[in-house]
Amino acid sequence: MRKEQYDITGMTCAACSARIEKSVGKLSGMNEVAVNLLKNSMTVTYDDSVLSTRTIIDTVVKAGYGASLKDEAKGKTAAKKETVNIAKEQYEQIKKRLILSIVFTVPLSFISMGHMFAWPFLSVFSGDENAMVLALTLFLLVIPVVFINFKFFRVGYRTLLHGSPNMDTLIALGSSAAVVYGIYAMYKIAAALGAGDWQKVHQFAGDLYFESAGMILTLITFGKFLEARAKGKTSDAITKLMNLAPKTAVVERDGREEEIAVEDLAVGDIVIIRAGQSVPTDGTITEGTAAVDESAITGESIPAEKSVNDKLIGATVLKSGFVKMQVQSVGEDTALAQIIHLVDEATSSKAPIAQMADKVSGVFVPIVIAVAVLTMLVWLFIGESFEFALTTAIAVLVISCPCALGLATPTAIMVGTGRGATNGILIKSAQALETLHSIKTVVLDKTGTVTQGTPSVTDIIHSDKISAEAFLQLAASLENYSEHPLAKAIVAKAQAENIPLLPAQDFSATAGSGVQGTINGKKYSAGNRKVLSKYNLYNDPLQKWEKKLAQEGKTPLFFVQDGEFIGIIALADTIKPTSYAAIAELKQMGIDTVMLTGDNAQTAQAVQKAVKVDKVIAEVLPQDKAGEVQKLQQSGKTAMVGDGINDAPALAQADVGIAIGAGTDIAIEAADLVLMKNKLTDVVGAIQLSKAVITNIKENLFWALFYNVICIPIAAGVFYPAFGLKLSPVIGALAMSFSSVFVVSNALRLRFFRPKYAENINHAQNNDSQQQNCHTEAVSIVQNINQKSNNKKDDVKMKKKLTIEGMMCQNCVKHVTKALQKLDGVAEVEVSLEQKSAVVTMNNEITDDVLSKAITDMDYEVVKIETI
């Protein structure tokens, strides 16, 4: 299949785009065609073994329009710039036409209404004896207006001959009827003057409709002018992005700095960027540090700290610092060019809701012409004058233009996708934007989506023989020689706390077990439970602590010094702070959340418990993820959020695939939306944007259809017999023009869209902070247990159960636990609020009196103590 974009000329309303789509869509081998009225473009996907570009262009021309293939050689960004320039040129052309039209229409209107004023200079046009002077003057003034706006006649009659009447056809027919009848009236006046029939002269002097024709054409042009100006604002976001890219770059060549055009940059060049300057293209920092404002690309307002080996994106700005960057991408391969291309494609595509408007528009104009002819015939049949019948028919023609109907959808989509881009949400198709508002289930990948995607240290537990800092120093010094991701996370933790590393000798690693090495003459081992078993240290307290960490989704690494247990470092793929807020907001919106992961069930359930996802599906192979999404789709439309290669099939299967911006290229290619900021809250923002766009489209369609439903009967004179209500063609032209302006203006309200989840984010982050505080306290309790349990390596000697009265809540449990843990010889304490008891595991004998006193000192009562 081949995909191409074409520039289309001659379109003026939705009937035009519908006609082209219908004609091109019938071609053999054509798979998909979408015509964008707002951008005067057409995107097609076809079988190039059956169809050719020439055939497609000929078909468009045969339908009455012009077509040309977009110049691929100019590149996507250049093509987009050209589109913007064309739009500007069209605006300037319409502006010129409007000014010239007004120059002739103003005197035309004044002279035609001269009888209403007593101005002396208008006396030459007053009276029946001057009727021919009046008629010739009006005719000479309307002719320039007709030629200035001859495009309406040229396109209107051409499309009518091709059997595809459009807005221009209605305007051409209406104004032509007024001019032709005016010429007919001139001949009647001339004949009546020759015959001395002053009654006929007076009658036809009042039937000159030249001012109506001129006013119709001028008012329609005025509406087009306002429409073109408003349309220009719909692509502001993309225009601003293009303008952000600097025109020059400073490169380092042969030891010297040289300023060159950005177009001349090559991959591998070293670019020098100073504070206040824009990054010219994509690359990697080779020297220096900087704070970079990436808001233009990601929407993130806080500058990102960048250093050596970090990537820079073109069009971002260095707020402070100095860097040298090696160029990695240029031209159309840069992130900025891809963003512009994605948004351009999205605005060129057609949402399903637009198909309804296109279908209506496609048959609307022929029906209007039929209604206008019928209106004229009915009024003539019931005895009204030809003048009355003609004005009602013209009024129906000019007020029924389907412009507003055709602009309702593309304007809202263009503004919505542009607004999404400024917020770091790239929408790749209009269909995805529409589908997103009706999503019932959001499926989330775990690693890299809900979680950070890389392990980090969560708990440090050490014995009383070593301080926390010394323990971390020894652990990081040992793991520094390992390439394992968990080892790198421990080293990163020590570096973050500015703890210097010590040299290690005789380092070795054992697959499936751990690492060993010598530091300062002492032998250290680190790894999983096998390390403890090797030294006969895998006792009950450590087994329970290992189980507890596993239930929390953490991986414990045990550390041993010369055969003695010295501590545990637990690691986990931590949850992104925004995940709590995003999931809470999705649930508040009535959307089900499902976490789909290949990780083990225990780890997945721990994450589920933390972020409160509705459902978790764990231990799923990459090739089976798409099948799981398909099952969920049976309950309603489903969106899939992921970042890895293994997510690509599921992203493609989902009704809407959403890729996290930091993910792989394959995932981004398979997705319909890309979240540049790598935040899950942007899923909420994207859904809210979709809802806002669809609401806006529905508003536009309602007003466009409502306007025609109300105005056509008034223009046809339906209410004239009962209420004397009649619409002149001039007022009809004015009303029609402003209906289009109203629709475009309504769509522009989307420029002020902002996601509404700030309160929930703060609330969720507060909860997250509270969870961290509780977590730290739990580590402290376990730390005391390990201080006691590891003083001796003997087996546990005794357990005692204490029945306690007075415990009312978990705080009471905490107090009792702490009181018992302080006793010398206590290895482990388990307190149950439900059973009102505490089980104490001891390394050596502790009398009942000592145990009882520890409890009574906390104002609780010991009812019974028994050995178990």
Side-chain angles (χ1 to χ4, degrees):
M1 285 292 174
R2 186 184 179 90
K3 188 174 185 179
E4 290 178 337
Q5 267 200 333
Y6 293 80
D7 290 318
I8 304 296
T9 57
M11 291 194 300
T12 53
C13 69
C16 301
S17 59
R19 168 70 175 174
I20 295 171
E21 281 189 0
K22 188 176 179 182
S23 300
V24 175
K26 286 179 179 177
L27 293 174
S28 178
M30 182 59 63
N31 182 50
E32 190 177 356
V33 54
V35 178
N36 190 305
L37 172 66
L38 194 62
K39 294 168 63 183
N40 293 315
S41 68
M42 176 177 71
T43 304
V44 296
T45 307
Y46 65 93
D47 185 348
D48 54 0
S49 65
V50 178
L51 262 180
S52 68
T53 299
R54 185 72 259 165
T55 305
I56 294 170
I57 291 174
D58 289 343
T59 304
V60 176
V61 172
K62 191 177 178 182
Y65 305 89
S68 61
L69 187 65
K70 273 192 184 293
D71 191 352
E72 297 287 342
K74 291 181 180 178
K76 302 174 189 112
T77 307
K80 182 65 184 173
K81 283 182 180 176
E82 187 179 309
T83 302
V84 172
N85 292 335
I86 289 170
K88 190 175 178 182
E89 285 173 13
Q90 288 177 343
Y91 168 75
E92 292 299 331
Q93 286 173 3
I94 293 172
K95 186 178 177 181
K96 255 183 216 175
R97 279 170 46 199
L98 176 62
I99 292 170
L100 289 171
S101 297
I102 290 172
V103 167
F104 291 98
T105 304
V106 169
L108 176 67
S109 302
F110 270 103
I111 293 171
S112 65
M113 295 185 290
H115 63 279
M116 300 170 59
F117 307 98
W119 296 338
F121 69 88
L122 292 177
S123 59
V124 69
F125 303 112
S126 301
D128 292 342
E129 66 276 10
N130 293 321
M132 201 61 194
V133 175
L134 172 67
L136 283 169
T137 304
L138 295 179
F139 179 67
L140 290 174
L141 285 171
V142 82
I143 291 299
V145 179
V146 169
F147 278 98
I148 289 164
N149 298 285
F150 198 71
K151 179 188 173 189
F152 292 127
F153 299 89
R154 185 176 63 252
V155 176
Y157 285 117
R158 187 178 65 198
T159 54
L160 182 63
L161 290 172
H162 281 88
S164 56
N166 63 359
M167 180 205 81
D168 288 345
T169 307
L170 299 180
I171 296 166
L173 287 172
S175 52
S176 294
V179 170
V180 169
Y181 186 75
I183 293 171
Y184 168 76
M186 283 176 63
Y187 277 98
K188 281 289 187 181
I189 291 170
L193 283 171
D197 190 345
W198 294 103
Q199 184 180 354
K200 239 175 202 182
V201 169
H202 183 77
Q203 177 191 340
F204 280 100
D207 285 354
L208 295 168
Y209 284 107
F210 294 128
E211 83 281 357
S212 292
M215 284 292 286
I216 288 169
L217 292 170
T218 302
L219 286 171
I220 297 296
T221 304
F222 177 62
K224 285 288 180 185
F225 167 76
L226 294 177
E227 188 182 300
R229 191 170 68 171
K231 278 182 186 179
K233 296 178 182 178
T234 60
S235 57
D236 274 357
I238 303 305
T239 306
K240 286 176 184 175
L241 274 177
M242 289 191 298
N243 292 337
L244 280 172
K247 303 294 183 290
T248 60
V250 177
V251 296
E252 188 177 67
R253 289 179 178 171
D254 301 324
R256 293 182 304 168
E257 293 185 14
E258 182 183 339
E259 188 172 1
I260 63 172
V262 170
E263 291 79 9
D264 296 331
L265 281 174
V267 174
D269 278 345
I270 299 298
V271 177
I272 297 171
I273 312 165
R274 295 178 172 86
Q277 294 181 338
S278 295
V279 178
T281 188
D282 297 354
T284 303
I285 295 175
T286 58
E287 182 184 325
T289 59
V292 184
D293 179 2
E294 296 181 327
S295 58
I297 302 296
T298 67
E300 182 59 65
S301 58
I302 300 172
E305 296 296 330
K306 300 284 186 176
S307 58
V308 176
N309 293 328
D310 286 339
K311 290 186 177 180
L312 292 179
I313 303 172
T316 56
V317 181
L318 260 68
K319 303 301 287 184
S320 63
F322 168 88
V323 297
K324 288 185 180 180
M325 179 191 81
Q326 185 176 41
V327 175
Q328 287 188 324
S329 302
V330 293
E332 299 313 311
D333 296 326
T334 63
L336 178 64
Q338 294 300 318
I339 290 170
I340 292 170
H341 178 56
L342 285 176
V343 178
D344 189 35
E345 278 199 339
T347 55
S348 298
S349 62
K350 193 177 289 291
I353 196 170
Q355 294 171 2
M356 179 187 72
D358 288 347
K359 286 177 182 176
V360 171
S361 299
V363 298
F364 190 76
V365 175
I367 290 174
V368 167
I369 294 172
V371 169
V373 172
L374 184 64
T375 298
M376 187 173 179
L377 293 174
V378 168
W379 284 119
L380 288 172
F381 179 76
I382 61 177
E384 285 291 343
S385 66
F386 182 76
E387 173 197 353
F388 184 93
L390 180 64
T391 55
T392 53
I394 293 173
V396 169
L397 287 172
V398 298
I399 204 168
S400 304
C401 168
C403 262
L405 199 61
L407 292 170
T409 302
T411 48
I413 287 173
M414 182 167 276
V415 179
T417 50
R419 188 60 190 165
T422 60
N423 282 280
I425 303 167
L426 295 186
I427 302 159
K428 294 167 69 175
S429 72
Q431 183 172 352
L433 181 62
E434 179 180 339
T435 306
L436 201 58
H437 88 284
S438 57
I439 289 297
K440 299 297 181 187
T441 305
V442 172
V443 182
L444 306 164
D445 174 48
K446 181 181 78 69
T447 306
T449 302
V450 176
T451 64
Q452 298 286 4
T454 54
S456 59
V457 174
T458 58
D459 305 82
I460 298 175
I461 305 103
H462 57 92
S463 75
D464 59 351
K465 293 183 179 180
I466 189 170
S467 68
E469 185 174 334
F471 172 54
L472 181 56
Q473 182 184 45
L474 289 167
S477 299
L478 180 64
E479 297 288 3
N480 189 38
Y481 293 84
S482 173
E483 292 297 321
H484 198 282
L486 297 180
K488 291 182 181 296
I490 295 172
V491 174
K493 176 70 174 175
Q495 290 174 340
E497 297 188 8
N498 295 317
I499 296 174
L501 302 184
L502 303 171
Q505 291 83 34
D506 304 325
F507 176 84
S508 64
T510 305
S513 175
V515 296
Q516 304 85 37
T518 303
I519 301 173
N520 292 336
K522 295 183 179 181
K523 187 176 180 181
Y524 291 90
S525 298
N528 56 27
R529 70 180 69 156
K530 292 180 181 179
V531 171
L532 295 176
S533 298
K534 180 180 176 182
Y535 295 99
N536 196 27
L537 296 172
Y538 194 48
N539 55 27
D540 284 348
L542 291 177
Q543 288 177 28
K544 288 183 178 178
W545 183 228
E546 181 187 34
K547 184 179 178 181
K548 181 179 184 298
L549 288 171
Q551 288 172 342
E552 293 175 359
K554 300 170 185 175
T555 301
L557 292 182
F558 302 97
F559 290 81
V560 175
Q561 173 186 297
D562 288 338
E564 282 192 43
F565 170 78
I566 58 169
I568 305 171
I569 293 182
L571 303 99
D573 182 4
T574 54
I575 296 166
K576 292 178 183 176
T578 54
S579 294
Y580 301 99
I583 291 164
E585 184 70 29
L586 287 169
K587 292 171 80 171
Q588 192 175 332
M589 293 166 71
I591 297 172
D592 294 330
T593 53
V594 178
M595 190 167 71
L596 183 64
T597 178
D599 212 338
N600 67 74
Q602 197 171 41
T603 302
Q605 285 163 3
V607 176
Q608 178 192 19
K609 185 179 178 183
V611 297
K612 298 181 173 58
V613 173
D614 293 321
K615 182 181 178 182
V616 64
I617 305 173
E619 299 178 5
V620 181
L621 295 173
Q623 60 267 31
D624 297 332
K625 282 190 173 184
E628 293 293 340
V629 170
Q630 195 171 18
K631 290 176 188 175
L632 292 167
Q633 285 176 306
Q634 295 172 5
S635 303
K637 289 184 179 176
T638 302
M640 171 73 192
V641 188
D643 72 323
I645 293 173
N646 61 343
D647 297 321
L651 289 169
Q653 172 63 43
D655 296 290
V656 179
I658 303 173
I660 295 290
T664 64
D665 291 340
I666 294 174
I668 292 171
E669 185 66 30
D672 302 299
L673 272 78
V674 180
L675 308 181
M676 294 296 292
K677 284 190 283 189
N678 205 19
K679 293 180 179 179
L680 205 55
T681 43
D682 283 342
V683 174
V684 177
I687 294 173
Q688 290 180 352
L689 176 62
S690 172
K691 288 179 182 290
V693 170
I694 295 303
T695 300
N696 194 280
I697 288 172
K698 288 178 178 177
E699 289 170 355
N700 289 345
L701 289 173
F702 169 77
W703 285 112
L705 290 168
F706 180 75
Y707 160 84
N708 280 300
V709 167
I710 294 296
C711 291
I712 289 177
I714 295 174
V718 172
F719 302 105
Y720 181 74
F723 306 103
L725 188 61
K726 180 174 176 285
L727 201 65
S728 76
V730 172
I731 299 299
L734 187 66
M736 188 281 286
S737 297
F738 276 97
S739 70
S740 297
V741 175
F742 174 82
V743 164
V744 176
S745 301
N746 186 50
L748 288 174
R749 290 190 306 112
L750 288 168
R751 296 169 76 198
F752 306 105
F753 167 82
R754 289 181 67 86
K756 297 177 182 176
Y757 47 61
E759 246 179 65
N760 288 334
I761 287 177
N762 294 333
H763 177 67
Q765 286 176 341
N766 289 336
N767 287 343
D768 184 37
S769 177
Q770 290 168 9
Q771 289 175 6
Q772 293 296 335
N773 290 338
C774 294
H775 181 71
T776 304
E777 188 174 6
V779 170
S780 177
I781 292 169
V782 176
Q783 181 178 329
N784 289 329
I785 292 173
N786 283 278
Q787 287 173 2
K788 303 300 177 183
S789 65
N790 288 289
N791 283 337
K792 295 184 180 181
K793 290 187 276 181
D794 299 332
D795 291 337
V796 174
K797 293 179 179 178
M798 187 179 296
K799 285 186 181 182
K800 289 189 178 183
K801 181 178 181 182
L802 288 70
T803 305
I804 304 168
E805 289 292 339
M807 292 192 298
M808 305 294 292
C809 64
Q810 290 300 324
N811 280 328
C812 298
V813 171
K814 192 186 301 180
H815 295 151
V816 169
T817 302
K818 284 185 176 181
L820 292 171
Q821 284 175 343
K822 288 179 181 178
L823 299 177
D824 188 30
V826 172
E828 188 177 354
V829 177
E830 290 183 13
V831 181
S832 171
L833 179 62
E834 292 77 14
Q835 296 179 9
K836 306 290 185 186
S837 66
V839 175
V840 182
T841 304
M842 298 167 286
N843 285 330
N844 50 31
E845 180 67 33
I846 302 175
T847 65
D848 291 353
D849 290 341
V850 173
L851 291 170
S852 181
K853 186 176 185 305
I855 300 302
T856 54
D857 285 349
M858 300 297 295
D859 295 327
Y860 300 104
E861 181 185 353
V862 178
V863 177
K864 183 171 65 173
I865 298 177
E866 55 185 323
T867 302
I868 57 175

